[in-house]
Amino acid sequence: MFEEIRILGVKLHNVNFNHTIEAIDGFIRKRDRQNLIVTLGTEMVMKAQSDEVFKNIVNNASLVCADGVGLLWAAKKYGYHVKEKVAGVELLERLVELSGRKKWKLFFFGAAPGTAQEAKIQLLKKYPDANIVGEYHGFFEDDSEVKTMLRQTSPDILFLALGSPKQELWYIENAGELDIPVGIGVGGSLDVMSGKVDRAPGWMIKLGLEWFYRLYKEPSRWKRMMALPKFAIKILLTAKKAQKTPNAEKNN
Ligand code: UDP
């Protein structure tokens, strides 16, 4: 369907924002399987280096898009031009906007208690015909309650904001039983949508400095962010080889 690239052995599709929306529309229409959409970040690629289960989940996902300039840069080093960054938070907002007209049922799952509900309130102010059929927080001991809600509401798109890799694992483990055609891991997007955490200013996003803004706002993220320089070094070390033999990375 879409061109497939491997970044350090992890799958990435060469898609732009509109392709992603069209593919999701197609998955809902077809309803023939459960489709995990991964919004891939550099930290996730690094996580996959030591976590084979997570790596397989990403590599078997229906669609993997680049959620960050780090991935676009890495692809370029390998000689590919990935069309566009597809950020989870932007994807969520666009799908919410379309949900009324398309009659898609959406469910928000994750973040601290009250956050998903607040995100829903804020989004409904902006998109009054949005079709958000339910929400549930992400700090549960037992997931039977959320499963019951998902059975009752039978959403078309489940937004999972549990952090990675928890969100991708949960969808893969449960989507078949619950029959949800699309699951999208959106990380901290509900925090942003609820207004709890603000997004970097537009000019910073354009310059690819969103990571810096997040670090400034949440200094406790520094440890996680150590994955970034490690990622860059690994890419630079492998780029020459990957460029000479374009298929080499595909077999990783
Ligand atoms: N979270 C959750 N359950 C957990 C751990 C985390 O619902 O057990 C939520 C957390 O509140 C936050 C989101 O998952 O809203 C992850 O945010 P993070 O910034 O780590 O994700 P990223 O955008 O970096 O993937």
Side-chain angles (χ1 to χ4, degrees), residues 64-133:
V64 184
C65 35
D67 185 351
V69 287
L71 267 303
L72 301 190
W73 170 82
K76 201 171 164 198
K77 288 281 163 205
Y78 284 166
Y80 298 96
H81 174 70
V82 170
K83 296 186 177 75
E84 204 173 8
K85 182 178 112 175
V86 182
V89 68
E90 278 153 25
L91 193 57
L92 180 142
E93 186 162 353
R94 181 75 180 130
L95 293 167
V96 167
E97 185 184 357
L98 290 171
S99 64
R101 181 156 54 84
K102 294 272 191 184
K103 302 209 166 17
W104 293 331
K105 290 193 273 175
L106 315 181
F107 196 107
F108 293 168
F109 176 28
T115 303
Q117 207 170 11
E118 189 54 38
K120 177 178 164 178
I121 293 169
Q122 294 307 324
L123 284 159
L124 281 172
K125 279 188 196 159
K126 215 166 162 188
Y127 310 108
D129 70 339
N131 196 15
I132 304 162
V133 296

Side-chain angles (χ1 to χ4, degrees), residues 31 105 133 149-156 178-180:
R31 267 190 182 274
K105 290 193 273 175
V133 296
M149 280 178 79
L150 289 167
R151 270 190 212 98
Q152 282 165 353
T153 52
S154 65
D156 300 300
L178 298 167
D179 193 22
I180 303 171

Side-chain angles (χ1 to χ4, degrees), residues 12-227:
L12 174 69
H13 284 115
N14 192 359
V15 286
N16 65 20
F17 199 80
N18 285 337
H19 290 150
T20 307
I21 301 287
E22 279 163 25
I24 290 169
D25 191 16
F27 296 147
I28 297 172
R29 275 173 207 273
K30 261 193 177 169
R31 267 190 182 274
D32 59 345
R33 52 171 289 189
Q34 286 73 47
N35 296 279
L36 172 67
I37 318 289
V38 176
T39 54
L40 192 69
T42 48
E43 285 173 47
M44 290 159 82
V45 174
M46 292 312 285
K47 171 81 187 152
Q49 304 306 298
S50 57
D51 185 337
E52 204 60 29
V53 173
F54 178 56
K55 185 170 162 181
N56 283 333
I57 287 179
V58 178
N59 287 349
N60 286 309
S62 297
L63 197 61
V64 184
C65 35
D67 185 351
V69 287
L71 267 303
L72 301 190
W73 170 82
K76 201 171 164 198
K77 288 281 163 205
Y78 284 166
Y80 298 96
H81 174 70
V82 170
K83 296 186 177 75
E84 204 173 8
K85 182 178 112 175
V86 182
V89 68
E90 278 153 25
L91 193 57
L92 180 142
E93 186 162 353
R94 181 75 180 130
L95 293 167
V96 167
E97 185 184 357
L98 290 171
S99 64
R101 181 156 54 84
K102 294 272 191 184
K103 302 209 166 17
W104 293 331
K105 290 193 273 175
L106 315 181
F107 196 107
F108 293 168
F109 176 28
T115 303
Q117 207 170 11
E118 189 54 38
K120 177 178 164 178
I121 293 169
Q122 294 307 324
L123 284 159
L124 281 172
K125 279 188 196 159
K126 215 166 162 188
Y127 310 108
D129 70 339
N131 196 15
I132 304 162
V133 296
E135 68 278 330
Y136 197 87
H137 70 85
F139 290 85
F140 49 89
E141 297 235 325
D142 167 10
D143 58 9
S144 55
E145 199 175 11
V146 66
K147 283 185 187 167
T148 304
M149 280 178 79
L150 289 167
R151 270 190 212 98
Q152 282 165 353
T153 52
S154 65
D156 300 300
I157 306 176
L158 176 62
F159 291 99
L160 300 114
L162 305 168
S164 191
K166 195 174 175 183
Q167 55 197 21
E168 286 82 16
L169 279 160
W170 197 92
Y171 179 73
I172 290 300
E173 275 170 17
N174 299 292
E177 175 201 332
L178 298 167
D179 193 22
I180 303 171
V182 176
I184 314 177
V186 291
S189 301
L190 294 179
D191 295 329
V192 175
M193 287 301 161
S194 69
K196 220 170 107 181
V197 170
D198 37 85
R199 238 192 136 191
W203 65 269
M204 272 189 134
I205 296 174
K206 267 197 193 127
L207 287 174
L209 291 173
E210 195 165 10
W211 62 271
F212 181 74
Y213 188 80
R214 290 192 79 177
L215 184 60
Y216 161 70
K217 283 280 178 180
E218 297 168 71
S220 57
R221 293 180 77 91
W222 76 268
K223 240 186 187 161
R224 287 177 53 176
M225 290 211 165
M226 288 310 287

